[in-house]
Amino acid sequence: MSLKTTYQQIKAIIPEVEFQQLLGFVGQSILFGILDLISIAYLIPAVLLLLDKNKLLLYFERNHIDTTYLDSNNLIIGVFVLVFLFVVKNLMQTRFNVRLYDFLYGLSHRLSMAVLERYLGGDYLNFQQQNKGTVIQHVTRVANDFSCSLIASMVYLISESFTFLVILLALLVLYFKLTIMALVALGAFAFWIYRIKKQQMKLIDETFKSEYAKSNAELLNILDGFIEIKSSGNQKEFLDRFKIHNKALNQVTSLLTSSSSNYSKFLELFLIISIAGLIFYHLLSGHSTENFLLISVLAALSIKIVPSLSKILNSLTMIRSHWYSIDLLQDIYQSESRPKVHTEFKTTLEFRNIDFEYQQQTPIFKNLHFTIERGKVIGIKGLTGSGKTTFLHIAAGLLVPQNGEIILDGEKLEKNHFFPFVSYLAQQPFLFNGTLLENIMMRQNEKPNVKHLDTLLENLELKTLVDELPQGLQTIITHNTPKLSGGQKQRLALLRALYHKPTLLILDEATNQQNEALENRIHQFLRKIVTQENMAILAVSHQSDIDLFCDRVYVLEKNNLTLAGAN
């Protein structure tokens, strides 16, 4: 893949403001590379002085350099300047690293939020078909790998490569033949490492891409199926499946960590061999001033060359191992655009000639017609698997039919739409980790309407339950809280829906865990709200007495809706 394509892919993922900041960090990183070169140039005379002052004096005289620079007073000043230069440079680089990683982890956070917002605001059918382990991977892992591993490595790769190239050019000018020989040796060494690591990096990239999602999916299976797994006695089978994916993930993580650590050891080996070669060269060619200068220069440069090469190799490894994050983030960003939001439902919501099927399967609806009016309660009956829940999803704006028209208050809607005026209640109510009040308010940061809330608690017969709890509405519940029965959870979910005053309330068997008398009282209360608030209700139920609750009831059969009792 070309550098231009890579640049365009990264720019498409990172928001414009953050991308400009990233370019600024790359520029600063290169600037620090230049400061490193200046400090190394200043260090060379110090190394020469430590090795042999007389030869340094001789070199100055031959090249007509003022030898007074080597007086004791000047040397003391020079040492202080050298130390000061390194202290200032390293303090600046330390501060730079803090700011860089603060930016990268901030970018990771913003990308994670963008991915989650994309899922939450995107197509419901696409979300339904997603492996939830993959969603968790995309939100919690991919953005971090992209920002803090791949992008961070690219920043260091650019700056360290710049520094290395400048040093290489300087050596080519000063010692052309020797540098060419060193390059050939270094190239062979690098090719050897690349051949060893190539398959490993491909394995790491592919494993990160797949095993993290699978590991998450198996963990979700265990958490969601706790009772069934324990009662069946199959804990080992579920643990073993999680173990397979988690072990593979940890194995490649250890491989990546050890590879990064071992590069410095490989380079130390190369450096020792190079130093040994220089010593033999020095001994065989005589103790000339030129050889002395060469050794001094290389000794000073090795302070930067070895760490630079190590960072370059580490950066290449991290980039190759986390390349998958670019592919996954691109796929997410290229998914369907957000649906158009329609906030008001004034009179009617019509469905004309609706066709729907799941991925070229048997049609669920064919030429379906249906109208919902405000102020009406409409019931839907049908056999299990006839498509009742699918129809409710279409009515809620969650699913988009392949053919047909949806008309809201006389306006034909676009294909991609969403209805926030709908409150949808499923058979299994959604409760999250938080207080009862948070579950009712859906974490809205506004003061609760106490009067409205008390009316709902009283009419849905939850007042006594709340009063008996130690902290009342501030009592913390969990996702699958045992503090509430199934029927209480359903009523709490219904209370939440009614608290937010929807204009269309959709009930998918949402009261089927209540006893008959209580369910009838709830239906009477809902009828009262329909009259007072001009609300519409669309309800699915298997109960035979749903007719008493509804203004009209339809039967879903043969891919269409038929008015109950009609010929």
Side-chain angles (χ1 to χ4, degrees):
M1 186 174 291
S2 68
L3 290 175
K4 181 180 179 181
T5 303
T6 300
Y7 175 85
Q8 290 172 339
Q9 287 179 325
I10 292 173
K11 188 175 181 181
I13 293 171
I14 301 176
E16 181 62 28
V17 174
E18 281 82 357
F19 187 77
Q20 294 303 320
Q21 288 179 289
L22 177 61
L23 294 180
F25 278 110
V26 172
Q28 292 176 58
S29 184
I30 292 173
L31 178 62
F32 282 119
I34 295 172
L35 290 177
D36 282 338
L37 294 172
I38 294 172
S39 60
I40 289 171
Y42 202 98
L43 187 62
I44 290 174
V47 175
L48 287 166
L49 188 64
L50 288 172
L51 290 174
D52 195 326
K53 183 177 180 180
N54 293 327
K55 286 188 177 180
L56 182 59
L57 283 168
L58 181 61
Y59 178 79
F60 272 36
E61 289 171 357
R62 285 183 179 178
N63 291 275
H64 307 293
I65 301 173
D66 189 356
T67 57
T68 57
Y69 288 126
L70 300 179
D71 291 346
S72 296
N73 290 335
N74 288 330
L75 288 176
I76 291 172
I77 294 172
V79 169
F80 275 109
V81 171
L82 177 63
V83 172
F84 178 77
L85 179 63
F86 271 87
V87 168
V88 171
K89 177 182 73 70
N90 287 339
L91 285 175
M92 290 173 65
Q93 286 180 322
T94 300
R95 177 60 183 161
F96 168 78
N97 287 334
V98 171
R99 290 190 297 109
L100 174 62
Y101 277 98
D102 181 65
F103 165 78
L104 291 173
Y105 278 95
L107 176 63
S108 171
H109 162 69
R110 285 184 285 276
L111 289 177
S112 290
M113 291 303 300
V115 169
L116 189 55
E117 288 172 5
R118 194 86 178 180
Y119 276 119
L120 199 55
D123 179 65
Y124 177 66
L125 181 59
N126 177 60
F127 182 76
Q128 272 189 317
Q129 294 168 347
Q130 287 281 347
N131 180 323
K132 297 307 179 284
T134 301
V135 176
I136 293 173
Q137 178 195 22
H138 288 172
V139 174
T140 62
R141 182 66 181 255
V142 175
N144 185 270
D145 282 350
F146 173 79
S147 301
C148 304
S149 296
L150 188 139
I151 295 297
S153 297
M154 284 185 171
V155 172
Y156 285 117
L157 178 63
I158 292 170
S159 61
E160 296 299 334
S161 297
F162 171 81
T163 303
F164 183 75
L165 287 173
V166 172
I167 292 173
L168 184 62
L169 288 173
L171 289 174
L172 284 170
V173 171
L174 295 173
Y175 310 103
F176 182 79
K177 291 183 178 179
L178 190 61
T179 303
I180 292 296
M181 292 171 60
L183 275 177
V184 171
L186 184 62
F189 179 73
F191 181 74
W192 173 63
I193 293 179
Y194 173 77
R195 292 290 297 176
I196 292 175
K197 299 294 182 182
K198 182 180 178 181
Q199 291 302 317
Q200 288 183 356
M201 295 309 103
K202 183 179 179 182
L203 173 64
I204 292 171
D205 182 58
E206 291 174 350
T207 303
F208 277 159
K209 189 173 183 177
S210 62
E211 295 302 320
Y212 192 82
K214 292 176 181 178
S215 179
N216 283 336
E218 292 302 329
L219 179 59
L220 286 172
N221 288 339
I222 292 171
L223 296 178
D224 290 341
F226 182 86
I227 295 176
E228 290 83 353
I229 292 171
K230 283 186 71 69
S231 61
S232 69
N234 292 323
Q235 296 99 313
K236 184 178 183 303
E237 286 75 11
F238 280 84
L239 289 172
D240 285 346
R241 186 66 64 87
F242 174 78
K243 177 182 176 182
I244 291 170
H245 302 302
N246 188 256
K247 184 178 180 180
L249 187 63
N250 281 282
Q251 282 177 334
V252 296
T253 303
S254 69
L255 183 61
L256 176 61
T257 304
S258 62
S259 295
S260 300
S261 301
N262 288 337
Y263 283 133
S264 60
K265 304 304 176 185
F266 287 135
L267 290 169
E268 283 178 15
L269 175 63
F270 182 78
L271 181 62
I272 291 297
I273 295 172
S274 301
I275 291 173
L278 281 173
I279 292 172
F280 282 122
Y281 176 76
H282 183 59
L283 292 174
L284 294 174
S285 59
H287 302 278
S288 65
T289 304
E290 287 74 17
N291 291 342
F292 166 72
L293 179 62
L294 171 62
I295 293 172
S296 302
V297 169
L298 292 179
L301 290 177
S302 65
I303 295 174
K304 181 60 183 175
I305 289 176
V306 173
S308 285
L309 284 174
S310 181
K311 288 180 180 179
I312 288 170
L313 290 173
N314 279 331
S315 296
L316 289 172
T317 299
M318 295 298 285
I319 290 169
R320 183 67 185 88
S321 299
H322 297 91
W323 193 265
Y324 82 98
S325 61
I326 292 181
D327 297 332
L328 291 184
L329 286 173
Q330 271 197 311
D331 290 343
I332 296 168
Y333 275 55
Q334 290 172 358
S335 59
E336 292 184 17
S337 59
R338 291 170 178 256
K340 184 178 179 181
V341 176
H342 299 271
T343 57
E344 287 190 290
F345 169 34
K346 297 177 181 177
T347 56
T348 58
L349 179 59
E350 299 179 67
F351 302 87
R352 298 178 182 172
N353 305 312
I354 298 298
D355 295 343
F356 184 84
E357 60 187 46
Y358 287 103
Q359 296 184 336
Q360 308 301 317
Q361 296 178 3
T362 303
I364 296 176
F365 304 125
K366 196 72 176 174
N367 199 32
L368 181 145
H369 295 262
F370 192 76
T371 301
I372 302 171
E373 305 103 339
R374 287 194 65 169
K376 298 293 183 181
V377 180
I378 303 169
I380 306 290
K381 289 182 177 181
L383 298 175
T384 300
S386 60
K388 298 186 299 296
T389 297
T390 299
F391 174 71
L392 295 184
H393 286 166
I394 293 175
L398 295 171
L399 295 178
V400 180
Q402 282 83 18
N403 295 304
E405 297 178 346
I406 298 177
I407 300 170
L408 176 63
D409 298 327
E411 177 189 353
K412 182 180 175 181
L413 304 183
E414 299 175 4
K415 282 284 186 182
N416 202 9
H417 58 266
F418 178 65
F419 302 143
F421 54 77
V422 173
S423 278
Y424 184 100
L425 272 73
Q427 294 183 45
Q428 299 301 323
F430 165 66
L431 299 177
F432 56 85
N433 297 337
T435 66
L436 275 174
L437 185 60
E438 284 178 326
N439 271 272
I440 294 168
M441 300 281 291
M442 289 298 281
R443 290 182 170 164
Q444 289 180 344
N445 293 322
E446 60 184 36
K447 189 176 180 180
N449 185 332
V450 177
K451 184 178 178 181
H452 181 44
L453 184 55
D454 284 342
T455 299
L456 293 173
L457 286 169
E458 192 70 44
N459 282 278
L460 293 175
E461 303 186 24
L462 290 168
K463 182 71 173 173
T464 303
L465 168 70
V466 172
D467 290 342
E468 290 176 351
L469 292 172
Q471 284 83 38
L473 289 171
Q474 297 302 323
T475 301
I476 295 176
I477 60 173
T478 57
H479 173 59
N480 291 316
T481 179
K483 294 180 181 179
L484 303 175
S485 68
Q488 289 169 335
K489 291 176 183 178
Q490 282 191 332
R491 278 179 280 147
L492 181 61
L494 179 57
L495 186 151
R496 173 173 59 206
L498 294 173
Y499 178 84
H500 294 282
K501 298 184 177 181
T503 49
L504 172 57
L505 178 65
I506 295 179
L507 306 175
D508 188 359
E509 300 277 5
T511 58
N512 65 353
Q513 296 186 52
Q514 317 301 323
N515 63 60
E516 185 177 350
L518 178 54
E519 186 174 34
N520 287 333
R521 291 195 295 273
I522 291 172
H523 285 171
Q524 291 172 13
F525 176 57
L526 289 175
R527 291 260 14 161
K528 182 179 177 182
I529 294 177
V530 166
T531 302
Q532 290 177 343
E533 304 292 339
N534 194 31
M535 182 177 71
I537 294 180
L538 180 61
V540 161
S541 176
H542 283 98
Q543 302 295 336
S544 57
D545 59 354
I546 188 176
D547 310 58
L548 302 175
F549 171 50
C550 300
D551 293 300
R552 61 181 186 271
V553 176
Y554 290 84
V555 178
L556 183 54
E557 57 185 356
K558 298 180 181 179
N559 310 119
N560 216 318
L561 285 166
T562 305
L563 188 63
N567 293 324

